[in-house]
Amino acid sequence: MTTLLSRYSAPAAATAVAVDGWTLSRLTPPSRLYGANGLRTGADGRLYVAQVTASQISAVDIETGLVEAISPMGGKIVAPDDIAFDEAGNIYATEITEGRVSMLAPDGTVRVIQGDMPVANPITYHQGRLIAGECRIGARIMELDRDGGAPRVILEGVPMANAFDVGPDGMLYFPVMGTNEIWRVSLTGGAPEVVAGDLGVPDSVKFDSKGRIVSTQVASGQVLRIDPRSGAREVLAELGPGLDNVSFVGDRIFVSSIPGEITEILGGGQVRSVIPRGLQWPLGLAVGADDGLFVADGAFGYTLAPGGGLVLAGMIFYPGCPGYLRGVVSSGPGEWVVTTGLGAVARYRPGAGESDMIATGYDQLMGVDIARDGSMVFAEYAGGRLLSALGGDVTELATGLDKPMGVAIDSDGVVYVTEAGAGRVVKVAGGKAQTVVDGLSCPQGLAAHGGKLFVVDAVAKALFEIDPEARTSRAIATDLPVGAPAGVTPKFLGSIGDMAGPMIPFADVAVAGDGTLYVSGDAEGSVLMLRRVAA
């Protein structure tokens, strides 16, 4: 029997345990932050971090890296993307999946300031004025009434605005992701001006003490400093794709990266890690032809080579990425079939920057597997269906399922699916679902190997081995870091405009040819490995 200590978002930790005959280990460490988006410096000198996927706001001590949840998971603020402070210490947060802006007071009370702001993202506070915007095509930038009155539109029709700041000249400077430029506009409105272009997809603009722009580039991974008067620019650091925001502590520069990373820019190309990069979930897992593992982590996809670390394979802002990645199965060397947050099934070749859509227009897709005839079998969670796509045609294999998630096809071609809502694993044949095992709490990921099924139960926090012939099951690992932390009821994370559908957790399991099992430790942002002990 082996045990593994797990770090949850909640104060209490759990100890993962594998039964005798199995060993349990982590392939990646737990994440310190489950995503890092908006970044602001508080009056206490700490960095306050908005975390969309964790659905919380945290404060980080820049010297020790100690993290404190200020607005915890399960609280009233949902999927915060950016934040700003006023003089009284109120925190204003854009809630990107809710399409609103809320205020968190120092006493912990929360109220909605603006409730009609689709894909609410950038926000700043300047001389008593609260300004927020949308990260969508045709976005609005508005001055908000903190008492809940009607907002005043400063600019509309912007192709995806992101984190912005008021410059020394009193104008609002903002990145425009859709045009790969930085613009500025008067706070009274009027026509915008282009300040800089041909960038690396800018997603933040902040000003240092000398009036220079510091901007993160989400696609190129560069941190740029730009003189807004001369246009001169320099690369302060190259940190890799996924950068999100900037804040200053005095003249010290800190940047956030979407996968939960905080980095200090020291100058001369040197950097200091405050919080290392980690996984935000992860979601689907799949073993490839080279025994490497593909890890679907929403906006990011990684490969994990045997004995190596995570390597970024693709991301939502990379060419050829089919979208927010959830379910995955290997379909050949360097090729994967994935389900996306926008309801598509795609064949994805991240190395080539290419993907081909197989099926589109479905509601909350989860697991996927490939049948003997090459058809893609996938679960539609919201629609309660198991579907098969082949040669441009999609057929229903089963309907009326209760929140289907994991899909596995065994060596005999038998199709199995988990029903998270019904707490069971079923065999699908002839358009009907036959119960294999029931009495589970919330079965999600599913894999088949050697005549056995393996299923992750996100509520029981266990990995079960199932004998489908005998219809029996036993837990081979318990207290796993999957699902919500004890005592926490997460809020539903909806769509992010046209970029991602609902961000529903999916704790998956994958199996290698030698029987090694891999599990998504989505409660801590890790990948776990279980192996049988040699006889």
Side-chain angles (χ1 to χ4, degrees), residues 37 52-53 79 81 95-98 118-121 135-136 160 299 316 324 341-342 493-503:
N37 305 103
V52 173
T53 53
D81 195 290
E95 297 172 89
I96 192 166
T97 66
E98 308 304 295
V119 202
N121 187 328
C135 189
R136 63 186 179 102
M160 300 178 67
I316 205 166
Y324 184 93
L342 289 177
L493 301 183
S495 301
I496 301 179
D498 295 330
M499 289 186 286
M503 292 182 285

Coordinates of all heavy atoms in Angstrom, one line a residue, residues 37 52-53 79 81 95-98 118-121 135-136 160 299 316 324 341-342 493-503:
N37 N -4.9 35.0 -13.7 CA -5.4 35.9 -14.7 C -5.1 37.3 -14.3 O -4.0 37.7 -14.3 CB -6.8 35.6 -15.0 CG -7.1 34.2 -15.4 OD1 -7.6 33.4 -14.6 ND2 -6.7 33.7 -16.6
V52 N -9.8 32.4 -13.0 CA -11.0 32.0 -13.6 C -11.4 30.6 -13.3 O -12.4 30.3 -12.8 CB -10.9 32.2 -15.1 CG1 -12.2 31.6 -15.8 CG2 -10.8 33.7 -15.5
T53 N -10.5 29.6 -13.6 CA -10.8 28.2 -13.5 C -11.0 27.8 -12.0 O -11.8 26.9 -11.7 CB -9.8 27.3 -14.1 OG1 -8.5 27.7 -13.7 CG2 -9.8 27.5 -15.6
A79 N -15.7 32.8 -11.3 CA -14.8 33.0 -12.5 C -14.3 34.4 -12.6 O -14.4 35.0 -13.7 CB -15.5 32.5 -13.7
D81 N -11.9 37.3 -13.7 CA -10.9 37.4 -14.7 C -9.9 38.5 -14.5 O -8.7 38.4 -14.8 CB -11.5 37.5 -16.1 CG -10.5 37.2 -17.2 OD1 -9.6 38.0 -17.4 OD2 -10.6 36.1 -17.8
E95 N -16.5 39.1 -13.8 CA -16.8 37.6 -13.8 C -17.1 37.2 -15.2 O -18.2 37.3 -15.7 CB -18.0 37.4 -12.8 CG -17.7 37.8 -11.4 CD -18.9 37.7 -10.4 OE1 -19.1 36.6 -9.9 OE2 -19.6 38.7 -10.3
I96 N -16.1 36.6 -15.8 CA -16.2 36.4 -17.3 C -17.2 35.5 -17.7 O -17.9 35.7 -18.8 CB -14.8 36.0 -17.8 CG1 -14.7 36.1 -19.3 CG2 -14.4 34.6 -17.3 CD1 -13.3 36.0 -19.9
T97 N -17.5 34.4 -17.0 CA -18.5 33.5 -17.4 C -19.9 33.9 -17.0 O -20.9 33.4 -17.5 CB -18.3 32.1 -16.8 OG1 -18.5 32.1 -15.4 CG2 -16.9 31.6 -17.1
E98 N -20.0 34.9 -16.1 CA -21.3 35.4 -15.6 C -21.8 36.6 -16.4 O -22.9 37.1 -16.3 CB -21.3 35.7 -14.1 CG -20.8 34.5 -13.3 CD -21.6 33.3 -13.5 OE1 -22.8 33.2 -13.2 OE2 -21.0 32.3 -14.1
P118 N -21.4 40.9 -21.3 CA -21.0 39.6 -21.8 C -19.4 39.5 -21.9 O -18.8 40.4 -22.4 CB -21.6 39.5 -23.2 CG -22.8 40.4 -23.1 CD -22.4 41.5 -22.2
V119 N -18.9 38.4 -21.5 CA -17.4 38.2 -21.5 C -16.7 39.3 -20.8 O -15.7 39.8 -21.3 CB -16.9 37.9 -22.9 CG1 -15.6 37.2 -22.9 CG2 -17.9 37.1 -23.8
A120 N -17.2 39.7 -19.6 CA -16.6 40.8 -18.9 C -15.2 40.4 -18.5 O -14.9 39.3 -18.0 CB -17.4 41.0 -17.6
N121 N -14.2 41.3 -18.8 CA -12.8 40.9 -18.6 C -12.0 42.1 -18.0 O -11.7 42.1 -16.9 CB -12.2 40.4 -19.9 CG -10.8 39.8 -19.8 OD1 -10.0 40.3 -19.0 ND2 -10.5 38.8 -20.6
C135 N -14.2 41.1 -23.5 CA -13.2 40.4 -24.4 C -14.0 39.6 -25.4 O -14.0 38.3 -25.3 CB -12.2 39.5 -23.5 SG -10.8 38.9 -24.5
R136 N -14.6 40.2 -26.3 CA -15.3 39.5 -27.4 C -15.3 40.4 -28.6 O -14.9 41.6 -28.6 CB -16.8 39.3 -27.0 CG -17.6 40.6 -26.7 CD -18.9 40.3 -26.2 NE -19.7 41.5 -25.9 CZ -20.7 42.0 -26.6 NH1 -21.0 41.4 -27.8 NH2 -21.3 43.0 -26.3
M160 N -12.1 42.4 -29.2 CA -11.6 41.7 -28.0 C -10.6 42.6 -27.2 O -9.4 42.5 -27.4 CB -10.9 40.4 -28.4 CG -11.8 39.4 -29.1 SD -11.0 37.8 -29.5 CE -10.6 37.2 -27.9
A299 N -7.7 25.3 -22.0 CA -7.1 26.2 -23.0 C -5.7 25.7 -23.4 O -5.2 26.2 -24.4 CB -7.0 27.6 -22.4
I316 N -5.1 27.5 -27.0 CA -6.2 28.0 -27.7 C -5.9 29.2 -28.6 O -6.6 29.5 -29.5 CB -7.3 28.4 -26.6 CG1 -8.7 28.4 -27.3 CG2 -7.0 29.8 -26.0 CD1 -9.8 28.4 -26.3
Y324 N -11.1 24.8 -26.7 CA -10.9 24.4 -25.3 C -10.9 22.8 -25.3 O -11.9 22.2 -25.7 CB -12.0 25.0 -24.5 CG -12.0 24.7 -23.0 CD1 -11.3 25.6 -22.2 CD2 -12.5 23.6 -22.5 CE1 -11.3 25.4 -20.8 CE2 -12.5 23.4 -21.1 CZ -11.9 24.3 -20.3 OH -11.9 24.1 -18.9
G341 N -14.7 22.4 -25.7 CA -15.7 23.1 -24.9 C -16.8 23.7 -25.7 O -17.9 24.0 -25.1
L342 N -16.6 23.9 -27.0 CA -17.7 24.4 -27.8 C -18.4 23.3 -28.6 O -19.2 23.6 -29.5 CB -17.1 25.4 -28.8 CG -16.6 26.7 -28.2 CD1 -16.0 27.6 -29.3 CD2 -17.8 27.5 -27.5
L493 N -19.3 27.0 -14.0 CA -18.5 27.9 -14.8 C -19.0 27.8 -16.2 O -18.8 26.8 -16.9 CB -17.0 27.6 -14.7 CG -16.4 27.6 -13.3 CD1 -14.9 27.4 -13.4 CD2 -16.6 29.0 -12.6
G494 N -19.7 28.9 -16.7 CA -20.3 28.8 -18.0 C -19.3 29.1 -19.1 O -18.1 29.0 -18.9
S495 N -19.9 29.5 -20.2 CA -19.1 29.8 -21.4 C -18.3 31.1 -21.3 O -18.7 32.0 -20.6 CB -20.0 29.8 -22.7 OG -20.7 28.6 -22.8
I496 N -17.2 31.1 -22.1 CA -16.4 32.4 -22.3 C -16.6 32.8 -23.7 O -15.8 32.5 -24.6 CB -14.9 32.2 -21.9 CG1 -14.7 31.7 -20.5 CG2 -14.2 33.5 -22.1 CD1 -13.3 31.4 -20.1
G497 N -17.7 33.4 -23.9 CA -18.1 33.9 -25.3 C -18.0 32.8 -26.3 O -18.5 31.7 -26.1
D498 N -17.3 33.0 -27.4 CA -17.1 32.0 -28.4 C -15.7 31.3 -28.3 O -15.4 30.5 -29.1 CB -17.1 32.7 -29.8 CG -18.4 33.3 -30.1 OD1 -19.4 32.7 -29.7 OD2 -18.5 34.3 -30.9
M499 N -15.0 31.5 -27.2 CA -13.7 30.9 -27.0 C -13.8 29.5 -26.3 O -13.0 28.6 -26.6 CB -12.8 31.8 -26.2 CG -12.4 33.0 -26.9 SD -11.2 34.0 -26.0 CE -12.2 34.8 -24.7
A500 N -14.7 29.4 -25.4 CA -14.8 28.1 -24.6 C -16.3 27.9 -24.1 O -16.9 28.9 -23.7 CB -13.9 28.1 -23.4
G501 N -16.7 26.7 -24.2 CA -18.0 26.4 -23.6 C -17.9 26.2 -22.1 O -16.9 26.6 -21.5
P502 N -19.0 25.8 -21.4 CA -18.9 25.6 -20.0 C -17.7 24.8 -19.5 O -17.4 23.8 -20.1 CB -20.2 24.8 -19.7 CG -21.1 25.2 -20.8 CD -20.3 25.4 -22.0
M503 N -17.1 25.3 -18.5 CA -15.8 24.7 -18.0 C -16.2 23.6 -16.9 O -16.1 23.9 -15.7 CB -14.9 25.7 -17.5 CG -14.3 26.6 -18.6 SD -13.2 27.9 -18.0 CE -14.3 29.0 -17.2

